[in-house]
Amino acid sequence: MSDAAVIEQSRQEPGAFAALYERHAPHISRYVARRLGDDVADDVTAETFYRAFEKRRLYDLGRPDARPWLYGIAANVMAQHHRRETRMLRAFARSGADPVAQTYGGQMDGADDRLTATGLHRPLAAALAGLSRAHREVLLLIAWADLSYEEAAEALGISVGTVRSRLHRARKKVRAALGDADPMFVADEG
């Protein structure tokens, strides 16, 4: 059953919305934890799904996959925590201790292992902390949430051209901050 079908069903049977939560909450939670830390991930994820539930009547049922919509809601909730994220990234850049990788261990993707092996974790955290919220959001939706350009545009309510532009600028700034090293997780999409 597609996400759209679940949402449509939940309009008559609110309990059906739980299937959407079960399907996507772990991914949203991991993404939020990487951005803000494990201690607020559950709260932000819960708020994301609460807002989604409240807005489900507005969902475009022509879109079978609700991931971009959910990540967009999560981005709005996380915007309230922007200063916290920047402080966390700066602390990580100073200390080198990644609380998210320590918490999730083997559940993180191979990019984290490659970054650790190349010693780029600390400089990357500093580079991410130096990005504007808009640039960081686009970069991380594509790199960490694995959204396409189109899905990131939908999630943020911006055009695909704006996604491409912000992503290009973010990559350029990150690469410059890393001394032109490739952080390996922001490969161009075809």
Short mmCIF file of all heavy atoms in Angstrom, two decimals, residues 143-183:
data_model
loop_
_atom_site.label_atom_id
_atom_site.label_comp_id
_atom_site.label_asym_id
_atom_site.label_seq_id
_atom_site.Cartn_x
_atom_site.Cartn_y
_atom_site.Cartn_z
N ALA A 143 22.41 14.17 1.06
CA ALA A 143 23.49 13.30 1.50
C ALA A 143 23.07 12.32 2.60
O ALA A 143 23.45 11.15 2.56
CB ALA A 143 24.67 14.14 2.00
N TRP A 144 22.31 12.76 3.57
CA TRP A 144 21.98 11.91 4.71
C TRP A 144 20.60 11.28 4.60
O TRP A 144 20.41 10.16 5.05
CB TRP A 144 22.08 12.69 6.02
CG TRP A 144 23.49 12.97 6.45
CD1 TRP A 144 24.64 12.52 5.88
CD2 TRP A 144 23.89 13.78 7.55
NE1 TRP A 144 25.73 13.01 6.55
CE2 TRP A 144 25.30 13.78 7.59
CE3 TRP A 144 23.20 14.51 8.50
CZ2 TRP A 144 26.02 14.48 8.55
CZ3 TRP A 144 23.92 15.20 9.45
CH2 TRP A 144 25.32 15.18 9.48
N ALA A 145 19.64 12.01 4.05
CA ALA A 145 18.29 11.44 3.93
C ALA A 145 18.13 10.72 2.60
O ALA A 145 17.11 10.08 2.38
CB ALA A 145 17.23 12.53 4.06
N ASP A 146 19.11 10.86 1.73
CA ASP A 146 19.12 10.16 0.44
C ASP A 146 17.92 10.54 -0.44
O ASP A 146 17.37 9.70 -1.13
CB ASP A 146 19.18 8.65 0.65
CG ASP A 146 19.69 7.92 -0.58
OD1 ASP A 146 20.46 8.51 -1.35
OD2 ASP A 146 19.29 6.75 -0.78
N LEU A 147 17.54 11.81 -0.39
CA LEU A 147 16.47 12.29 -1.26
C LEU A 147 17.07 12.70 -2.60
O LEU A 147 18.22 13.12 -2.68
CB LEU A 147 15.76 13.50 -0.64
CG LEU A 147 15.00 13.28 0.66
CD1 LEU A 147 14.25 14.55 1.06
CD2 LEU A 147 14.05 12.11 0.59
N SER A 148 16.27 12.60 -3.64
CA SER A 148 16.69 13.09 -4.96
C SER A 148 16.55 14.62 -4.96
O SER A 148 15.98 15.21 -4.04
CB SER A 148 15.79 12.49 -6.04
OG SER A 148 14.47 13.02 -5.93
N TYR A 149 17.04 15.25 -6.02
CA TYR A 149 16.89 16.70 -6.15
C TYR A 149 15.41 17.07 -6.11
O TYR A 149 15.02 18.03 -5.45
CB TYR A 149 17.50 17.20 -7.45
CG TYR A 149 19.01 17.17 -7.54
CD1 TYR A 149 19.80 16.52 -6.59
CD2 TYR A 149 19.65 17.78 -8.59
CE1 TYR A 149 21.17 16.50 -6.68
CE2 TYR A 149 21.03 17.77 -8.70
CZ TYR A 149 21.79 17.13 -7.74
OH TYR A 149 23.16 17.12 -7.84
N GLU A 150 14.61 16.32 -6.84
CA GLU A 150 13.18 16.60 -6.91
C GLU A 150 12.51 16.43 -5.55
O GLU A 150 11.66 17.23 -5.15
CB GLU A 150 12.50 15.70 -7.95
CG GLU A 150 12.91 15.98 -9.38
CD GLU A 150 14.29 15.44 -9.78
OE1 GLU A 150 14.88 14.61 -9.04
OE2 GLU A 150 14.80 15.87 -10.83
N GLU A 151 12.89 15.38 -4.82
CA GLU A 151 12.32 15.14 -3.50
C GLU A 151 12.75 16.23 -2.51
O GLU A 151 11.95 16.67 -1.69
CB GLU A 151 12.72 13.77 -2.98
CG GLU A 151 12.07 12.62 -3.74
CD GLU A 151 12.64 11.26 -3.38
OE1 GLU A 151 13.86 11.17 -3.07
OE2 GLU A 151 11.88 10.28 -3.42
N ALA A 152 14.01 16.66 -2.59
CA ALA A 152 14.49 17.73 -1.71
C ALA A 152 13.73 19.02 -2.01
O ALA A 152 13.35 19.76 -1.10
CB ALA A 152 15.99 17.93 -1.86
N ALA A 153 13.51 19.30 -3.30
CA ALA A 153 12.76 20.49 -3.69
C ALA A 153 11.35 20.44 -3.12
O ALA A 153 10.84 21.42 -2.57
CB ALA A 153 12.72 20.62 -5.21
N GLU A 154 10.72 19.28 -3.24
CA GLU A 154 9.37 19.11 -2.70
C GLU A 154 9.37 19.27 -1.18
O GLU A 154 8.50 19.94 -0.62
CB GLU A 154 8.84 17.73 -3.08
CG GLU A 154 7.43 17.47 -2.62
CD GLU A 154 6.96 16.06 -2.94
OE1 GLU A 154 7.49 15.41 -3.85
OE2 GLU A 154 6.03 15.60 -2.24
N ALA A 155 10.36 18.68 -0.52
CA ALA A 155 10.42 18.74 0.95
C ALA A 155 10.56 20.18 1.44
O ALA A 155 9.97 20.54 2.45
CB ALA A 155 11.60 17.91 1.46
N LEU A 156 11.33 20.98 0.71
CA LEU A 156 11.60 22.34 1.16
C LEU A 156 10.69 23.39 0.52
O LEU A 156 10.77 24.57 0.86
CB LEU A 156 13.07 22.69 0.88
CG LEU A 156 14.08 21.80 1.60
CD1 LEU A 156 15.49 22.11 1.13
CD2 LEU A 156 13.96 21.97 3.11
N GLY A 157 9.87 22.96 -0.43
CA GLY A 157 8.98 23.91 -1.09
C GLY A 157 9.71 24.90 -1.97
O GLY A 157 9.35 26.07 -2.04
N ILE A 158 10.78 24.43 -2.62
CA ILE A 158 11.57 25.27 -3.52
C ILE A 158 11.69 24.57 -4.86
O ILE A 158 11.34 23.40 -4.99
CB ILE A 158 12.97 25.59 -2.93
CG1 ILE A 158 13.75 24.30 -2.65
CG2 ILE A 158 12.85 26.44 -1.67
CD1 ILE A 158 15.17 24.51 -2.12
N SER A 159 12.21 25.26 -5.85
CA SER A 159 12.36 24.66 -7.17
C SER A 159 13.58 23.74 -7.22
O SER A 159 14.51 23.88 -6.40
CB SER A 159 12.50 25.74 -8.24
OG SER A 159 13.77 26.37 -8.13
N VAL A 160 13.59 22.85 -8.20
CA VAL A 160 14.74 21.97 -8.38
C VAL A 160 15.97 22.81 -8.72
O VAL A 160 17.08 22.50 -8.27
CB VAL A 160 14.46 20.91 -9.48
CG1 VAL A 160 15.71 20.11 -9.80
CG2 VAL A 160 13.34 19.99 -9.03
N GLY A 161 15.79 23.87 -9.48
CA GLY A 161 16.91 24.76 -9.80
C GLY A 161 17.52 25.37 -8.55
O GLY A 161 18.75 25.50 -8.45
N THR A 162 16.68 25.75 -7.59
CA THR A 162 17.18 26.30 -6.32
C THR A 162 17.93 25.23 -5.54
O THR A 162 18.97 25.50 -4.94
CB THR A 162 16.03 26.90 -5.50
OG1 THR A 162 15.39 27.91 -6.28
CG2 THR A 162 16.51 27.48 -4.19
N VAL A 163 17.43 24.00 -5.56
CA VAL A 163 18.14 22.90 -4.91
C VAL A 163 19.52 22.75 -5.53
O VAL A 163 20.52 22.66 -4.83
CB VAL A 163 17.34 21.57 -5.02
CG1 VAL A 163 18.22 20.37 -4.64
CG2 VAL A 163 16.11 21.61 -4.14
N ARG A 164 19.57 22.70 -6.85
CA ARG A 164 20.86 22.54 -7.55
C ARG A 164 21.82 23.68 -7.20
O ARG A 164 23.00 23.45 -6.94
CB ARG A 164 20.64 22.45 -9.05
CG ARG A 164 19.98 21.18 -9.49
CD ARG A 164 19.84 21.14 -11.03
NE ARG A 164 19.11 19.99 -11.46
CZ ARG A 164 19.61 18.77 -11.58
NH1 ARG A 164 20.87 18.55 -11.27
NH2 ARG A 164 18.86 17.77 -12.00
N SER A 165 21.31 24.90 -7.20
CA SER A 165 22.13 26.06 -6.90
C SER A 165 22.67 26.01 -5.46
O SER A 165 23.86 26.19 -5.22
CB SER A 165 21.30 27.33 -7.11
OG SER A 165 22.02 28.46 -6.71
N ARG A 166 21.77 25.75 -4.51
CA ARG A 166 22.20 25.68 -3.11
C ARG A 166 23.17 24.53 -2.88
O ARG A 166 24.14 24.66 -2.14
CB ARG A 166 20.99 25.53 -2.19
CG ARG A 166 20.17 26.78 -2.07
CD ARG A 166 19.00 26.59 -1.13
NE ARG A 166 18.15 27.77 -1.11
CZ ARG A 166 17.00 27.84 -0.47
NH1 ARG A 166 16.55 26.80 0.22
NH2 ARG A 166 16.29 28.95 -0.50
N LEU A 167 22.88 23.40 -3.51
CA LEU A 167 23.75 22.25 -3.35
C LEU A 167 25.13 22.53 -3.93
O LEU A 167 26.15 22.19 -3.31
CB LEU A 167 23.12 21.02 -4.02
CG LEU A 167 23.86 19.71 -3.83
CD1 LEU A 167 23.97 19.35 -2.35
CD2 LEU A 167 23.13 18.60 -4.58
N HIS A 168 25.18 23.16 -5.09
CA HIS A 168 26.47 23.51 -5.70
C HIS A 168 27.26 24.43 -4.77
O HIS A 168 28.46 24.19 -4.53
CB HIS A 168 26.24 24.18 -7.06
CG HIS A 168 27.50 24.71 -7.66
ND1 HIS A 168 28.44 23.90 -8.24
CD2 HIS A 168 27.98 25.98 -7.74
CE1 HIS A 168 29.45 24.64 -8.66
NE2 HIS A 168 29.19 25.89 -8.38
N ARG A 169 26.60 25.44 -4.23
CA ARG A 169 27.29 26.38 -3.33
C ARG A 169 27.74 25.68 -2.05
O ARG A 169 28.85 25.92 -1.56
CB ARG A 169 26.38 27.56 -3.01
CG ARG A 169 26.20 28.49 -4.17
CD ARG A 169 25.38 29.72 -3.78
NE ARG A 169 25.14 30.54 -4.95
CZ ARG A 169 23.95 30.84 -5.42
NH1 ARG A 169 22.86 30.39 -4.80
NH2 ARG A 169 23.82 31.59 -6.49
N ALA A 170 26.89 24.84 -1.51
CA ALA A 170 27.24 24.12 -0.28
C ALA A 170 28.44 23.20 -0.52
O ALA A 170 29.37 23.17 0.28
CB ALA A 170 26.05 23.32 0.23
N ARG A 171 28.41 22.46 -1.62
CA ARG A 171 29.52 21.56 -1.93
C ARG A 171 30.82 22.34 -2.12
O ARG A 171 31.88 21.92 -1.66
CB ARG A 171 29.22 20.76 -3.19
CG ARG A 171 28.20 19.68 -2.99
CD ARG A 171 27.90 19.01 -4.31
NE ARG A 171 27.05 17.85 -4.12
CZ ARG A 171 26.35 17.31 -5.08
NH1 ARG A 171 26.37 17.80 -6.30
NH2 ARG A 171 25.60 16.24 -4.82
N LYS A 172 30.71 23.46 -2.80
CA LYS A 172 31.89 24.30 -3.05
C LYS A 172 32.49 24.77 -1.72
O LYS A 172 33.70 24.70 -1.52
CB LYS A 172 31.50 25.48 -3.93
CG LYS A 172 32.63 26.33 -4.37
CD LYS A 172 32.13 27.42 -5.34
CE LYS A 172 33.26 28.32 -5.76
NZ LYS A 172 32.77 29.37 -6.68
N LYS A 173 31.63 25.23 -0.80
CA LYS A 173 32.11 25.70 0.50
C LYS A 173 32.70 24.55 1.32
O LYS A 173 33.73 24.72 1.97
CB LYS A 173 30.97 26.37 1.26
CG LYS A 173 30.57 27.71 0.69
CD LYS A 173 29.42 28.31 1.47
CE LYS A 173 28.98 29.63 0.84
NZ LYS A 173 27.86 30.24 1.57
N VAL A 174 32.04 23.41 1.29
CA VAL A 174 32.54 22.26 2.05
C VAL A 174 33.87 21.80 1.50
O VAL A 174 34.83 21.56 2.24
CB VAL A 174 31.50 21.10 2.08
CG1 VAL A 174 32.12 19.82 2.60
CG2 VAL A 174 30.29 21.49 2.92
N ARG A 175 33.96 21.68 0.19
CA ARG A 175 35.24 21.25 -0.42
C ARG A 175 36.34 22.23 -0.11
O ARG A 175 37.48 21.83 0.18
CB ARG A 175 35.06 21.06 -1.92
CG ARG A 175 34.30 19.80 -2.26
CD ARG A 175 34.27 19.55 -3.77
NE ARG A 175 33.51 18.35 -4.04
CZ ARG A 175 32.46 18.31 -4.85
NH1 ARG A 175 32.06 19.39 -5.50
NH2 ARG A 175 31.82 17.18 -5.03
N ALA A 176 36.07 23.54 -0.17
CA ALA A 176 37.08 24.54 0.15
C ALA A 176 37.52 24.41 1.60
O ALA A 176 38.71 24.48 1.91
CB ALA A 176 36.54 25.95 -0.12
N ALA A 177 36.56 24.18 2.50
CA ALA A 177 36.89 24.03 3.92
C ALA A 177 37.71 22.77 4.18
O ALA A 177 38.47 22.71 5.14
CB ALA A 177 35.61 24.01 4.76
N LEU A 178 37.55 21.77 3.31
CA LEU A 178 38.28 20.51 3.46
C LEU A 178 39.56 20.50 2.64
O LEU A 178 40.17 19.44 2.47
CB LEU A 178 37.39 19.33 3.06
CG LEU A 178 36.13 19.12 3.90
CD1 LEU A 178 35.32 17.96 3.35
CD2 LEU A 178 36.47 18.91 5.36
N GLY A 179 39.95 21.65 2.12
CA GLY A 179 41.16 21.70 1.31
C GLY A 179 41.00 20.93 0.01
O GLY A 179 41.91 20.23 -0.42
N ASP A 180 39.83 21.04 -0.60
CA ASP A 180 39.47 20.35 -1.84
C ASP A 180 39.41 18.83 -1.70
O ASP A 180 39.38 18.12 -2.69
CB ASP A 180 40.39 20.75 -3.00
CG ASP A 180 40.09 22.15 -3.48
OD1 ASP A 180 38.90 22.55 -3.44
OD2 ASP A 180 41.03 22.86 -3.88
N ALA A 181 39.39 18.33 -0.47
CA ALA A 181 39.19 16.89 -0.27
C ALA A 181 37.74 16.57 -0.56
O ALA A 181 36.84 17.36 -0.28
CB ALA A 181 39.54 16.49 1.16
N ASP A 182 37.50 15.39 -1.10
CA ASP A 182 36.13 14.96 -1.40
C ASP A 182 35.57 14.25 -0.18
O ASP A 182 36.08 13.21 0.23
CB ASP A 182 36.14 14.00 -2.59
CG ASP A 182 34.76 13.56 -3.01
OD1 ASP A 182 33.77 14.02 -2.40
OD2 ASP A 182 34.67 12.74 -3.92
N PRO A 183 34.50 14.80 0.43
CA PRO A 183 33.95 14.16 1.62
C PRO A 183 33.25 12.83 1.32
O PRO A 183 32.80 12.17 2.22
CB PRO A 183 32.97 15.19 2.17
CG PRO A 183 32.67 16.08 1.04
CD PRO A 183 33.85 16.06 0.13
#
